[in-house]
Amino acid sequence: MNVVVPAPALPAARTRLRGPAAAGPWHLRAGPGLAQVEETVRALLEPHLGARLLPAASDVPGPELRLTLGQAPPPPRRTVGVAPGGTSEPVDESYGLTVGQDGIVCRAPTAVGAFRAATTALQLIALAGPDGELDAQELSDAPRYAWRGLLVDPARCFVEPGDLRRIVDLAALYKINVLHLHLTDNEGWRIECRSTPSLTARHGAEKKAHYSVEEYAALQEYAARRYITLVPEIDLPGHCATLRAAVPGLPDAPAPQGLAGRFPYVPPLDLSDPRTRTVVREVLADVCAMTTGPFVHIGCDEAVGITDAGFAQAVRALCSLVREFGKRPVAWQESARAGVTEQDLTQYWVDPDMMELPATAEELAGRPELLVAGYTMELVGALRRFFEPSGDDVRRVLAGGGRLILSPQSHLYLDRGYAADITPTARAADAARLGFPSYRPRDVRHTATWDPAEHGIPEDRVAGVEATLFGEVLQGIDDLTTMLLPRLASVAETAWSGRPAGWEEHRAALAHHGRLWTRLRLAYFPATDVPWL
């Protein structure tokens, strides 16, 4: 039975071996050109093998995990999408893997392919059955989507640098290659900008809760060694309360007639104002200069309280500044209303149906999660009007020649709570506390069976897939990983293969992975629709 997630594309027939014994000592060897990969793979193996991972110079007998560059089987899939490393074509992440009498050999034409193969080998070794023996087999694998991302939200729930490195290691284990950091919002500004120190100024004895220039550089280097690109998000022109507090006196953007003062929201920034433009320019110059990857995310979502013309002007200004500073802008789907070009990368997250808004007061009365969140029919009506234009955003992107990162709130927003019918009794309080209040809770199968094709977007216009975990209700790393796991592994499966695995096969494989997370000291949610071992 397959235990690897994502499942390899082309597993060959297997035969039982008397060896290697996965439970015994292992050597890690790497061929020329893979010294850095070997170092990183050793670090990933250590939590799972401990003393069974032998020192490089050891002569103790044992099977070998060997990483080599060179001829590998033809890629079993054609990779499509946008390469997060900024190359014009997706990088070659394909690999072949052979389990034989003497151990495991990973073959790949590139270093990143060798690294992906090593994460497959890690899972095979760490999840070996009770007899400790591996099946003889040959695997051939490659990703379908070049962009396979995860968003975490330090703006609402700050993630310490050490914990963020743990998330990077988790992402690498499942072949995720983008870590999108939602660094700014109304609740906080989490990246040092030396042009505007007031954004992260400490107040009295308050604990530092942002990444310094040096910490951010170190995080990027750590991620790069695991072939993960960091994409910072500076969310504008809305979601700007922290910036407004740090730089008082910035004028409000012009509001649509009759909206100002009717609902609680932070007025968006007016990018036509010279002082505002100067502040934003300095901030983006800092962030672009600090970022080693090619992308900077500019937000552009939920800009409540700005006219259409003001919003379009703001989006164009933000895109222009990021390009001026040598980076490629990424934005949420609302940005498409300002116009789209073939160079634009747009993140699709919502349409009117995904909002699941009640049509009547009776329907609202039957939605306890909305009542707890304070919804009224007046608010429901306002939300319906606000999100109505989202139904045309994908069409706008496609008409303009842009590409879409698929992050549908309906399935890939991992701040969605776990359904009561798959919640163990002992975890009922966690399930009730951690889910975003206005989202209908779902089971693990709901995420695992999502199919990118269901949105009807031509595959050559799909940049990739990205799960998101916003942090409004999270209180620390354990909350964060509880919401990620097990569902992140399911998203990674679909992002790598391009389609969902069969549910019964996937849940059987997933059942083994709680052991991996336990060894990594990562909290997870033991949903009862997975038969945990």
Side-chain angles (χ1 to χ4, degrees), residues 317-499:
L318 294 166
C319 287
S320 176
L321 288 170
V322 168
R323 291 188 178 110
E324 178 184 340
F325 300 133
K327 301 298 179 183
R328 187 172 172 185
V330 187
W332 297 104
Q333 69 182 69
E334 292 95 320
S335 64
R337 301 166 204 175
V340 176
T341 72
E342 293 181 359
Q343 295 302 309
D344 287 327
L345 197 56
T346 306
Q347 194 158 0
Y348 169 52
W349 71 279
V350 73
D351 62 34
D353 288 342
M354 284 185 206
M355 295 303 297
E356 298 181 304
L357 294 170
T360 65
E362 289 75 20
E363 287 186 21
L364 176 60
R367 295 284 299 280
E369 73 278 5
L370 297 185
L371 295 174
V372 168
Y375 276 52
T376 65
M377 285 309 295
E378 182 187 20
L379 178 57
V380 167
L383 288 170
R384 196 181 299 279
R385 291 188 296 273
F386 180 74
F387 283 102
E388 184 177 3
S390 67
D392 276 335
D393 287 336
V394 169
R395 179 193 59 77
R396 294 182 181 100
V397 174
L398 297 179
R403 288 188 175 184
L404 292 141
I405 300 169
L406 304 185
S407 299
Q409 175 243 80
S410 56
H411 292 79
L412 301 196
Y413 269 45
L414 303 185
D415 45 338
R416 181 178 295 276
Y418 293 98
D421 61 352
I422 55 101
T423 295
T425 302
R427 302 299 295 273
D430 283 343
R433 176 177 65 86
L434 291 177
F436 189 70
S438 63
Y439 291 167
R440 192 191 299 271
R442 299 289 189 183
D443 54 21
V444 176
R445 180 175 184 167
H446 179 75
T447 299
T449 56
W450 170 73
D451 189 342
E454 72 184 45
H455 303 285
I457 299 169
E459 193 167 54
D460 65 347
R461 307 297 291 282
V462 176
V465 170
E466 183 172 298
T468 74
L469 178 55
F470 289 98
E472 287 94 334
V473 301
L474 307 182
Q475 297 177 9
I477 185 64
D478 286 350
D479 283 359
L480 192 155
T481 61
T482 296
M483 297 306 282
L484 284 180
L485 300 171
R487 296 177 296 184
L488 179 63
S490 300
V491 178
E493 173 75 53
T494 302
W496 180 264
S497 67
R499 57 183 175 78

Side-chain angles (χ1 to χ4, degrees), residues 186 241 252-256 258-268 302-306:
N186 295 326
D252 299 349
L259 183 61
R262 289 193 61 208
F263 298 100
Y265 61 88
V266 177
E302 299 179 324
V304 182
I306 190 172

Side-chain angles (χ1 to χ4, degrees), residues 25-43 45 49 52-69 102-108 111 114-115 117-118 121 125:
W26 279 81
H27 295 276
L28 174 63
R29 314 279 192 206
L34 293 175
Q36 184 172 296
V37 172
E38 180 184 11
E39 179 183 339
T40 304
V41 171
R42 183 171 290 278
L45 282 167
L49 297 187
R52 295 191 294 116
L53 180 59
L54 298 172
S58 173
D59 58 2
V60 173
E64 186 173 273
L65 171 56
R66 177 169 289 277
L67 313 177
T68 63
L69 289 176
D102 298 323
I104 301 176
V105 178
C106 300
R107 308 174 307 284
F115 181 77
I125 295 168

Side-chain angles (χ1 to χ4, degrees), residues 186 237-241 243-245 247-256 259-277 303-307 309-311 313-314:
N186 295 326
H239 293 269
C240 59
L243 190 150
R244 286 191 172 282
V247 187
L250 298 180
D252 299 349
L259 183 61
R262 289 193 61 208
F263 298 100
Y265 61 88
V266 177
L269 297 175
D270 182 2
L271 268 292
S272 68
D273 170 66
R275 181 170 175 243
T276 301
R277 178 72 175 253
V304 182
I306 190 172
T307 63
F311 179 69
Q313 194 276 337

